Each structure stands twice: as structure tokens, then as C-alpha cells.
Amino acid sequence: MRIAMIGGGYVGLVSAACFAEFGSDVAVVETDPGRLEALRAGRMPIYEPGLDRLVSANVAAGRLGFGDDVASALEGAEAVFIAVGTPTRRGDGHADLSYVYAAAEQVARALTGYAVLVTKSTVPVGTGRRIAEIVRHVRPDLEFDVASNPEFLREGSAIEDFMRPDRVLIGAESDRAREVLRRVYRPLYLIEAPIVFTSIETAELTKYAANAFLAMKVTFINEMADLCEKVGADVHDVARGIGLDGRIGRKFLHPGPGFGGSCFPKDTLALMRIAQDFSAPSRLVEAVVAVNDARKAGMAMRVIAACGGSVRGKTIAVLGLTFKPETDDMRDAPSVPIISRLIGDGATVRAFDPEGMDQAVPLLPASVAYCQNALEAASGADALVLVTEWNEFRALAPERLAAAMRGRVVVDLRNVYEPGAMRAAGFDYQCVGRPKRE
Ligand SMILES: NC(=O)c1ccc[n+]([C@@H]2O[C@H](COP(=O)([O-])OP(=O)(O)OC[C@H]3O[C@@H](n4cnc5c(N)ncnc54)[C@H](O)[C@@H]3O)[C@@H](O)[C@H]2O)c1
């Protein structure tokens, strides 16, 4: 089977490599010259564990290729996936669909026979219908179907998520389109992954509903963490106590600096706008957006308070810049407002992230000093803030940190350290939602 993938970013590249691993021939179209050059040279333009090996094996097997020419990628393709970005549209919070529509138009012009146009990008309800209109307008003669196949992979475990998904969701309305997509996902039928067929609108909305629900869980536990701090309770025990209830579940109940990343912030905002447009506003989603924005904006205040009310003239080490570990993705990362505020208030920031520093540079103030490792960042610092819970930060011995730092303030926004061990090492240790002293 031949597949074309429009967009070779986090979702497009992982999906393409996994489809190739399933045995299909996959042609990726990527317009960013830097990303394309890297892919053609065998370098990964993004960091995702295991992706380099999967891509190189499938390129070597002749099942995966990269280019910028849509027409040659579409030759013989039965399924054309659109996996381009859908960022927040400037000014109003809606999803910006210009990349999706431009891709649909390019595909329509280049197709020579029947194909299913499948949106993998996260798109608002009605986008599939609009793509069908665009294609019909450009090519009234063409036989085609549209389908929606939203992606649920998580950066950091994207390959495993794609190969062993909790479910595959397919919104399609013709038997022919369903048959093509069944063949695309045949290896997942064999491992009995649930494949759910719905209407196109249902699939489009389900993706937003899933992300909004997860974002709501994170926001809920963050609010509980704030309350725990006031009443002297421990949010980890609260999370365990509620999470063991099968109706609630244990995942996504980790308190932190507020959710970021390429999906939750823009998707909650877009769902809020979709619901308003259809006169069915979601006050719950609106509250999640507002509470999370305020949390991220306010996180620097915790550090400032921990430093005695002012960071002017102080050196702050920041460990972790990406929005979560095991990715280099900096989109909407909480580290950005935290560091910007600390520097705005007169601090010097020394930062380290294992994979995200290249992507961080254009987003952070120019004065940030980027270090080679965690201990170098901590060296001579008055205070240390842990923003992203990379495993290598968990393994740092408190005594080594203490020896490197000048001051004794540690603000752990992910609760990775053992409070007793940190305090025993002489730190004024602050974490999220746990009693100040044990
Ligand atoms: N990143 C995630 O974890 C994730 C998870 C699930 C769903 N999604 C959704 O998937 C979509 C893509 O997200 P991403 O993180 O992969 O974005 P991304 O920005 O990393 O990748 C998009 C790629 O598409 C390319 N592109 C844009 N227009 C093109 C065109 N006309 N032809 C060829 N290439 C084109 C861009 O150059 C870019 O490399 C979004 O809608 C996102 O919401 C993302």
C-alpha cells in the first residue's frame, strides 16, 4: 500500500515511520527546508526517543522517503494524510487552518486518481467538510473521500503510542474510505487495538474532548495542590487516594507548573472557541484555560517568594526547559514565562536542558546562560528551580547540588526530590502541594 504524508513534524514523521514499519510505502512531503535537508541527510529534525533508528531502518528498506514535491509523493497513494500544524490563530484563539487548507489544495491539484484525504492534524468540527469543498472546487472531476483520523500519540513515547494505541479513531463516511483505512491500520487489527469508526464530525470533536479532559485533570490536581499547601495536606496522597478509584484513574494527577506543550494549550483554547461559536459554551473548558494561564504566569512568584521576595542580583539555576521530558518541544513551555519574569525582575539565569536548548534560544531572553549539564547550571547559584522532570535531574545527589550552589533555595515544581533528603542536605526545599515540614 502507498501512503503520502503531508508534513514531517512530530506527528507526520512518527506516523510515516510507523506506517512504513507496518509495511506500507510512505512518501513524506515537508516544506521546511531545514527539516527536509536534515531528513534527507539522515538526521532527525526533532528529538523523539527511538525515532532515528525507526526512520533509518525504513529508509534503508526503501519504504520511507522525503521530498518537497507533492505530485511525486502522491503517485499511487491510496491514503493521503495531512499532518501539518494547526497553531492558535493570532488574536482570537481559534485554530489556524491555513496550513491544512493549503495542503488540501496542493493535494487536490496533484492527485491523479482516487484517494482518501485524511486529516491527522487536530482540526475543529467542520474542517473535513470544508476540505471536501476545497477539493471539489479545485478538481470537480476527481473521485475522492475525506476522513478524520486524529492522532493521540504523546511526545516522548510517540512510537510506542502509535504502535500500541489505546484506540484508533476513524471518522469516515463511505465504505471505500473505511476499507482503505482498515488496510492502513491492518497490523493494529492483528494486535486487537480498538479501531473506532465514527462520523467525521464526531472524530474531529473527540480529539478536542480527549485533550480538554486531560487538561482538566491536570488543572484540577494543580488546584488541589494549592489547597493542600494551605491546609497542610499532601497532594500526592490526595492524588493516590482519588486515583485508585477506577472511575477517576491515576494518570494525569501530577501537580506542576501548569500544562504546556504543542497540544493542550491551543486545543483547550480552540475547543472553547468552537463551543462558543456553536452557542454551547463550555464553562468548564473556559475555566481550565483561565486557571492554567494564571498558574503559568504566577509560577515565577513562587521562586521570587522563596528567594525572600526579590531575585534582583541573584543567580537562579533552571533545570529543564521543554514542556515535558523526553522531547525537545518548547511550545508553550512553562519555563518561558518563569524565566522571562525572573530575568525581568533582575535575576541572572543559568539554564540546562538535555534536548531543548536549541529550540529554547529564540523563545527566551538573550541573557540566559546555557550550560552543559545540571551541575554546571547549579554552580554558584543562589537558588535552583526544577521546571521539567528529566530523569537525569532525579538522579542528582542533594550533597553534590549543595556543594555546587552558593545559596540553599530549591524550588521543585515537579516534586521529583525527596523532601527529607533535600532538607537533610541543608536546602530550603519547596515543592508543590506538600506540607512544608515532615
Ligand atoms: N505534537 C504532538 O504531540 C501532537 C499529538 C497529537 C496531535 N497533534 C496535532 O498534529 C498536528 C501537527 O502537529 P506537530 O506537532 O507534528 O506539528 P509540527 O509543526 O511539528 O509539524 C508540522 C509540519 O508540517 C510542515 N508543513 C506545513 N505545511 C506543509 C505543506 N503544505 N506541505 C508539507 N509540509 C507542510 C511544517 O513545515 C512542519 O514541519 C497538529 O494539528 C497537532 O495539534 C500533535
Side-chain angles (χ1 to χ4, degrees):
M1 163 152 222
R2 287 186 68 86
I3 294 173
M5 183 68 63
I6 313 297
Y10 289 87
V11 164
L13 185 55
V14 170
S15 306
C18 291
F19 283 146
E21 183 72 9
F22 289 168
S24 292
D25 289 323
V26 189
V28 178
V29 183
E30 174 54 62
T31 44
D32 180 301
R35 280 191 167 179
L36 183 59
E37 191 194 321
L39 286 168
R40 281 176 161 160
R43 284 181 280 111
M44 290 303 101
I46 56 167
Y47 174 73
E48 178 62 42
L51 188 60
D52 46 358
R53 265 174 285 122
L54 193 67
V55 167
S56 61
N58 282 284
V59 169
R63 289 191 298 264
L64 182 62
F66 309 101
D68 53 6
D69 180 33
V70 182
S72 51
L74 293 187
E75 266 170 40
E78 292 176 81
V80 182
F81 284 84
I82 298 180
V84 301
T86 50
T88 298
R89 189 163 74 192
R90 220 172 254 264
D92 65 7
H94 280 283
D96 177 352
L97 295 173
S98 55
Y99 302 102
V100 172
Y101 293 149
E105 204 173 315
Q106 287 162 359
V107 170
R109 288 191 197 290
L111 272 175
T112 52
Y114 175 84
V116 189
L117 263 77
V118 195
T119 34
K120 243 208 187 308
S121 302
T122 302
V123 295
V125 181
T127 306
R129 304 257 168 234
R130 180 78 195 108
I131 290 174
E133 281 168 18
I134 290 172
V135 178
R136 263 195 299 275
H137 178 74
V138 176
R139 290 285 301 282
D141 58 305
L142 191 71
E143 258 196 294
F144 71 98
D145 277 304
V146 293
S148 165
N149 172 219
E151 184 49 57
F152 295 96
L153 62 76
R154 296 162 299 173
E155 287 175 19
S157 53
I159 294 170
E160 178 67 12
D161 289 349
F162 198 94
M163 297 284 199
R164 298 184 184 282
D166 290 339
R167 78 307 206 182
V168 172
L169 186 61
I170 296 172
E173 273 153 24
S174 78
D175 288 341
R176 196 171 179 187
R178 278 190 285 268
E179 188 274 325
V180 168
L181 285 159
R182 260 194 209 99
R183 275 192 287 124
V184 166
Y185 281 107
R186 209 179 101 74
L188 296 186
Y189 275 94
L190 302 179
I191 61 164
E192 296 184 1
I195 314 257
V196 181
F197 283 97
T198 68
S199 72
I200 293 171
E201 282 77 7
T202 303
E204 288 169 342
L205 183 57
T206 304
K207 171 65 192 176
Y208 282 106
N211 273 0
F213 193 86
L214 294 172
M216 186 175 71
K217 264 186 117 174
V218 173
T219 305
F220 178 81
I221 204 67
N222 281 340
E223 283 198 330
M224 287 303 112
D226 286 351
L227 186 55
C228 283
E229 286 170 14
K230 300 278 189 221
V231 303
D234 187 325
V235 71
H236 286 221
D237 294 338
V238 172
R240 190 169 147 77
I242 63 173
L244 285 169
D245 185 330
R247 293 168 302 178
I248 296 173
R250 294 180 67 175
K251 293 187 176 160
F252 278 78
L253 289 177
H254 305 286
F259 60 77
S262 61
C263 292
F264 286 5
K266 78 173 176 63
D267 291 348
T268 45
L269 202 56
L271 179 57
M272 183 179 121
R273 292 291 181 234
I274 295 166
Q276 288 166 351
D277 281 359
F278 284 85
S279 302
S282 169
R283 290 170 58 194
L284 212 45
V285 177
E286 288 170 11
V288 167
V289 169
V291 170
N292 193 63
D293 283 351
R295 186 171 188 84
K296 275 160 79 176
M299 269 302 122
M301 294 311 296
R302 280 183 180 245
V303 183
I304 294 167
C307 290
S310 169
V311 289
R312 186 157 302 280
K314 298 206 164 123
T315 298
I316 317 273
V318 174
L319 301 191
L321 300 171
T322 50
F323 84 96
K324 69 172 182 180
E326 299 301 334
T327 182
D328 57 350
D329 201 335
M330 282 294 300
R331 287 177 279 188
D332 273 317
S335 63
V336 176
I338 294 173
I339 291 175
S340 303
R341 174 69 196 260
L342 293 176
I343 289 179
D345 275 25
T348 298
V349 167
R350 298 167 60 76
F352 172 67
D353 187 282
E355 295 292 339
M357 293 198 288
D358 288 348
Q359 297 212 19
V361 170
L363 301 175
L364 292 174
S367 66
V368 172
Y370 295 92
C371 300
Q372 296 294 315
N373 55 52
L375 283 176
E376 187 190 322
S379 170
D382 297 294
L384 179 141
V385 192
L386 186 133
V387 183
T388 316
E389 67 279 31
W390 287 89
N391 272 339
E392 64 180 81
F393 302 153
R394 294 177 195 273
L396 279 176
E399 299 70 29
R400 292 191 71 194
L401 263 188
M405 286 173 63
R406 176 167 62 195
R408 284 293 170 266
V409 173
V410 170
V411 182
D412 176 358
L413 297 179
R414 301 288 185 170
N415 293 2
V416 302
Y417 295 121
E418 177 51 46
M422 292 302 280
R423 287 172 189 140
F427 283 114
D428 171 6
Y429 174 73
Q430 312 209 3
C431 50
V432 182
R434 309 192 79 178
K436 289 266 181 283
R437 292 267 160 216
E438 287 174 340

